Amino acid sequence: MRAICGLWRWRRNPLRRTTDLAESWVALAALLLILVAAPVLGALAGSAAQGALQQSVRDQRQTRHTVTATVVRKVRQVASAPDPEISSGRDIRSRVEADWTAPDGTRRHGQVTTDLKSPHPGDHFTLWTDGHGRTVTRPLDPATATTHAVLAGLGAAMLTAGLVECIRRLIVWRLLRRRYAGWDRAWDRAGPDWGRTGTGS
């Protein structure tokens, strides 16, 4: 902001250097890009992610089905990977052998996890499968997909703002090097004649 205010201050200042004005214009351009381009790119990225994720939700809902499985026997207790849709991450799920009928009509048998706290042979529970009866995770929830899309948009906006700021800092660093090089050249031209030397005293 100080460099942007400098645009007005440096307009007709006789002490103004070209690098001062350039630094102020770079700061103004960076601010405008952060305030305008970053939100626009974030919104575009979020919208694209939302479209893709909602299409994934629709596809998963068409290809994944719930079936009723029957417990044959309990195998062992396992701490499963948490499903953000249904568990808090602390749930202990039971591993059982179960029978179920696939959506295509074939009979299936295998070891699966269930949220039954104390499964007994003959208990029924819901299982997600594909069209051939293979167990799959539950489909992505539309609200979760929207949350992921919002996070993608925010991430894109922040990445854009960070990139603009990095470019601004690189340009300012180059301007400073140019300014210091100019000072070195001016100092070399002055040589030993500064101060009392060369004044004839």
Side-chain angles (χ1 to χ4, degrees):
M1 288 303 296
R2 185 175 59 204
I4 293 170
C5 294
L7 275 175
W8 182 262
R9 191 174 65 244
W10 288 121
R11 282 181 319 140
R12 294 187 173 88
N13 193 319
L15 298 177
R16 181 194 71 193
R17 296 166 295 200
T18 305
T19 55
D20 295 325
L21 198 57
E23 186 175 338
S24 298
W25 279 112
V26 167
L28 178 62
L31 179 65
L32 291 176
L33 285 173
I34 289 173
L35 292 178
V36 177
V40 168
L41 288 175
L44 291 174
S47 178
Q50 172 75 343
L53 288 170
Q54 292 300 335
Q55 181 61 46
S56 178
V57 167
R58 290 189 290 273
D59 292 344
Q60 288 181 9
R61 290 199 177 274
Q62 288 178 356
T63 59
R64 299 181 186 189
H65 313 277
T66 55
V67 297
T68 301
T70 305
V71 175
V72 174
R73 71 180 179 91
K74 183 176 177 180
V75 177
R76 61 188 173 92
Q77 291 289 100
V78 295
S80 67
D83 183 347
E85 301 291 325
I86 60 173
S87 81
S88 64
R90 296 186 298 270
D91 297 342
I92 300 297
R93 305 189 72 194
S94 302
R95 190 160 184 83
V96 298
E97 282 190 18
D99 292 322
W100 65 94
T101 302
D104 62 4
T106 58
R107 300 279 299 165
R108 290 283 184 163
H109 176 84
Q111 290 189 7
V112 295
T113 56
T114 176
D115 55 0
L116 295 173
K117 291 183 179 178
S118 181
H120 297 91
D123 287 349
H124 299 289
F125 63 97
T126 301
L127 191 64
W128 283 97
T129 69
D130 63 10
H132 301 291
R134 292 184 292 264
T135 57
V136 293
T137 58
R138 67 180 298 170
L140 184 63
D141 184 76
T144 302
T146 299
T147 301
H148 290 321
V150 169
L151 291 175
L154 288 173
M158 291 174 62
L159 185 64
T160 302
L163 182 62
V164 168
E165 177 60 14
C166 287
I167 292 172
R168 185 195 71 80
R169 286 176 180 264
L170 178 63
I171 293 172
V172 168
W173 176 74
R174 294 295 301 268
L175 289 172
L176 282 173
R177 289 198 52 171
R178 187 173 164 188
R179 186 180 299 161
Y180 292 153
W183 286 348
D184 288 341
R185 286 192 300 271
W187 188 257
D188 288 341
R189 281 194 304 270
D193 289 337
W194 66 278
R196 293 176 180 241
T197 307
T199 59
S201 57

